[in-house]
């Protein structure tokens, strides 16, 4: 069985027939060719597949495509190229191997959209569903504070 | 595999009456994790379009929370934060942000996990749940909802539509604490929500709801009786521990041991009662 779904990804319309329980993660990567979104755990624990669904942070490995009908998806590729998070992550050691980075940046963007000047505890809470095995997180927090215009510390 | 996405509640209930095997799909944060393993032949009933099941409203006697209301909505809703702070706290402790944006209160209850984070607060507050089928609806006290491990009294053809929570009187102590391996996104080793109204010798309400100390979320009734039945102040720790041990039956599992859980459960009870055990303490709303 397939269901027809119409939605937008980064502003571009997508229409197709999909197996209803196919993960948004797979559709974004395989059908839309947008591969910034990564699969880490496939079970909601790591946040590397995070995207925005109607502006809210979700793990795309937990969203079946049938539930995306009529909605707006934003992946890392859909952020503005001059989003200050990109330069800040590079400058502050917020990224090493890079696997977690797209999810970290999406979680950070979701935070800054709601709360432009978060304190450290707000940043930690916003990123608590995103795991990183390389950076030790300090560089990531510093990057987000820098992007929010609060300096690196 | 099939997928049904009814546009309104009547349509959903009619479909469910015809096919009681349909699996309701809310936020999917439990269903998507288990989806490959047992049953690819499953048939799903998406609740997403049933917007009447979403949101929080005030009723004559309390707060009514729609089945599809997410943890994010509950955790910051002004009525919930004001009147039911222990539930607001448990919603904010349910997984991380991306989970809270999808996970619903009904899903948390219906999944039937003994470790779920919101049942303790619903037990402490004396919540009721509304179950609806094409034939009508019924209300069930939440403390009678879980028959056994992963079982509920929800019958085929029924869905959970609303959770009704009475508002405690002013001055009540609302307590919630979850103990897990880390602060975010960890399944609890033990959690406790408590609602305490009154004072030693003249209690109006003493309710302790626990997760992860029995095969189902439980209301600690013996403990409550030990506290309300004592007319000379609070029972001492040994008496409390004996009463508590009649209510809970913790087990060893991958997350913790029975012994650790028993000790933590007792520590949480002590913390909940702290305003009345400390010198000069009277009351402190959490
Ligand atoms: C990474 C991760 C972390 C998590 N952390 C926590 C945590 O810290 N604490 C915690 O308690 N849980 C946690 N969970 C579990 C899960 O997120 C919650 O149980 C959540 O509330 C489930 O809600 P849902 O809407 O996603 O349910 P779904 O997955 O949609 O459904 C769960 C079950 O409920 C049934 N159901 C749903 N709605 C209804 C309804 N209205 N009527 C009848 N049946 C219904 C479904 O058929 C299914 O059996 C976590 C899950 C993941 C993946
Ligand atoms: S791949 Fe989705 S959360 Fe890990
Ligand atoms: S940079 Fe390697 S996992 Fe985060």
């Amino acid at each position: 069985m397939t269901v027809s779904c119409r939605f937008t990804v980064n502003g571009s319309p997508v229409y197709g027939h999909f197996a209803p329980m196919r993960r948004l993660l797979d559709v974004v990567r395989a059908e839309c060719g947008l591969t910034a979104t990564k699969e880490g755990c496939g079970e909601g624990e790591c946040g590397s597949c995070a995207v925005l669904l109607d502006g809210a942070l979700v793990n795309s490995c937990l969203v079946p495509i049938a539930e995306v009908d009529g909605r707006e998806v934003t992946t890392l590729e859909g952020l503005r190229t001059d989003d200050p998070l990109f330069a800040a992550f590079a400058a502050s050691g917020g990224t090493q191997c890079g696997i977690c980075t797209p999810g970290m940046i999406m979680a950070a963007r979701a935070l800054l959209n709601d709360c432009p000047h978060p304190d450290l505890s707000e940043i930690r809470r916003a990123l608590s569903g995103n795991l990183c095995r390389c950076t030790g997180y300090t560089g990531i927090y510093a990057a987000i504070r820098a992007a929010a215009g609060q300096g690196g510390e | 595999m099939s997928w049904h996405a009814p546009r309104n509640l009547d349509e959903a209930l009619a479909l469910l009456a015809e096919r009681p095997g349909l699996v309701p799909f809310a936020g999917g944060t439990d269903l998507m994790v288990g989806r490959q393993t047992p049953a690819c032949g499953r048939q799903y009933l998406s609740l997403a379009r049933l917007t009447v099941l979403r949101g929080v409203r005030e009723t004559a006697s309390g707060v009514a929370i729609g089945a599809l209301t997410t943890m994010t909505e509950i955790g910051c809703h002004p009525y919930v934060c004001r009147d039911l702070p222990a539930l607001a706290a448990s919603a904010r402790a349910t997984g991380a942000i991306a989970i809270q944006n999808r996970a619903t209160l009904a899903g948390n209850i219906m999944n039937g996990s003994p470790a779920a984070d919101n049942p303790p607060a619903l037990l402490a507050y004396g919540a009721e749940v509304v179950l609806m089928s094409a034939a009508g609806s019924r209300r069930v006290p939440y403390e009678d909802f879980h028959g056994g491990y992963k079982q509920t009294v929800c019958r085929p053809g029924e869905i959970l539509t609303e959770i009704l929570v009475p508002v405690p009187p002013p001055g009540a102590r609302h307590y919630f604490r979850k103990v897990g391996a880390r602060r975010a996104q960890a399944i609890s080793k033990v959690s406790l929500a408590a609602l305490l109204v009154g004072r030693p010798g003249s209690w109006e309400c003493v309710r302790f709801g626990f997760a992860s100390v029995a095969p189902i979320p439980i209301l600690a009734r013996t403990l409550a009786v030990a506290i309300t039945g004592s007319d000379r102040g609070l029972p001492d720790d040994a008496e409390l521990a004996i009463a508590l041990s009649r209510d809970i039956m913790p087990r060893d599992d991958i997350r913790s041991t029975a012994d650790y859980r028993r000790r933590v459960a007792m520590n949480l009870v002590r913390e909940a009662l702290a305003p009345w055990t400390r010198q000069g303490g009277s009351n402190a709303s959490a």
Side-chain angles (χ1 to χ4, degrees):
Chain A
M1 180 205 181
T2 61
V3 289
S4 72
C5 299
R6 192 186 294 277
F7 51 96
T8 65
V9 176
N10 301 332
S12 307
V14 177
Y15 176 71
H17 294 268
F18 301 95
M21 284 290 272
R22 192 152 177 222
R23 304 176 305 175
L24 173 59
L25 169 65
D26 300 320
V27 171
V28 159
R29 289 181 56 89
E31 307 299 329
C32 306
L34 298 169
T35 53
T37 309
K38 302 287 187 269
E39 174 161 11
C41 64
E43 31 186 75
E45 297 281 352
C46 74
S48 67
C49 67
V51 302
L52 305 183
L53 186 61
D54 290 343
L57 189 73
V58 302
N59 291 330
S60 61
C61 70
L62 296 183
V63 179
I65 200 66
E67 298 285 74
V68 181
D69 188 36
R71 308 184 65 177
E72 266 175 40
V73 179
T74 308
T75 68
L76 187 88
E77 293 93 335
L79 299 186
R80 294 169 44 156
T81 48
D82 62 350
D83 190 312
L85 286 163
F86 292 127
F89 265 69
S92 309
T95 181
Q96 287 182 28
C97 82
I99 286 286
C100 72
T101 311
M104 290 287 177
I105 290 182
M106 295 314 286
R109 179 43 47 220
L111 169 68
L112 296 182
N113 287 348
D114 284 349
C115 171
H117 302 291
D119 63 24
L120 185 58
S121 75
E122 288 166 323
I123 295 175
R124 293 171 68 109
R125 177 170 148 76
L127 268 66
S128 63
N130 294 74
L131 301 181
C132 176
R133 298 200 65 184
C134 304
T135 65
Y137 301 99
T138 351
I140 294 174
Y141 301 150
I144 295 169
R145 302 194 83 175
Q150 292 168 275
E153 265 313 287
Chain B
M1 236 295 290
S2 73
W3 184 268
H4 304 266
R7 274 158 304 187
N8 58 54
L9 187 55
D10 287 344
E11 209 178 289
L13 294 174
L15 261 168
L16 205 55
E18 234 169 78
R19 310 169 186 228
L22 287 177
V23 179
F25 192 103
T29 59
D30 280 313
L31 287 172
M32 288 301 280
V33 174
R35 88 204 156 107
Q36 266 114 353
T37 16
C40 295
R42 276 182 153 185
Q43 308 200 334
Y44 293 94
L45 179 75
S46 166
L47 306 180
R49 293 178 179 179
L50 311 183
T51 46
V52 290
L53 301 188
R54 202 175 285 275
V56 178
R57 55 193 182 88
E58 248 178 331
T59 66
S61 59
V63 175
I65 303 173
L68 295 183
T69 314
T70 63
M71 294 300 131
T72 300
E73 289 158 344
I74 293 170
C76 67
H77 195 283
Y79 298 160
V80 182
C81 294
R82 181 192 64 202
D83 295 330
L84 309 168
L87 182 63
S90 63
R92 287 194 298 266
T94 306
I97 307 293
I99 297 294
Q100 291 175 21
N101 284 341
R102 299 279 300 161
T104 66
L105 185 56
N108 198 236
I109 300 172
M110 286 300 304
N111 190 47
S113 164
D117 280 318
N118 300 282
L122 297 178
L123 289 168
Y125 285 133
E128 289 188 306
V129 302
V130 181
L131 298 171
M132 206 179 263
S133 70
S137 76
R138 61 187 176 120
R139 283 162 72 150
V140 181
Y142 182 61
E143 60 191 81
D144 302 330
F145 189 71
H146 296 283
Y149 179 70
K150 289 255 169 190
Q151 287 169 12
T152 75
V153 302
C154 186
R155 301 183 192 127
E158 281 182 330
I159 57 171
L160 201 167
T161 53
E162 204 166 40
I163 297 98
L164 308 173
V165 196
V167 170
R173 174 156 164 85
H174 304 248
Y175 176 86
F176 174 75
R177 182 145 174 204
K178 168 180 181 177
V179 177
R182 71 181 187 106
R183 213 174 295 158
Q185 196 124 293
I187 297 173
S188 72
K189 296 172 193 257
V190 179
S191 61
L192 170 64
L195 179 67
L196 301 164
V197 186
R199 62 182 126 51
S202 65
W203 292 106
E204 285 163 50
C205 172
V206 173
R207 293 176 70 93
F208 293 92
F210 278 102
S212 298
V213 294
I216 57 174
I218 53 143
L219 187 67
R221 292 190 171 87
T222 319
L223 178 66
V225 168
I227 293 169
T228 53
S230 158
D231 47 17
R232 36 160 197 94
L234 280 177
D236 64 27
D237 283 358
E239 291 169 296
L240 289 173
I242 289 168
L244 180 62
S245 71
R246 301 224 172 95
D247 289 320
I248 68 178
M249 26 185 159
R251 291 191 347 164
D252 292 343
D253 66 14
I254 48 163
R255 284 191 294 281
S256 190
T257 65
D259 186 48
Y260 177 83
R261 289 186 156 113
R262 223 171 269 119
R263 287 205 226 175
V264 170
M266 183 56 201
N267 290 344
L268 297 182
V269 168
R270 240 192 249 120
E271 188 173 77
L273 291 168
W276 297 279
T277 50
R278 267 191 238 112
Q279 190 68 37
S282 57
N283 190 10
S285 264

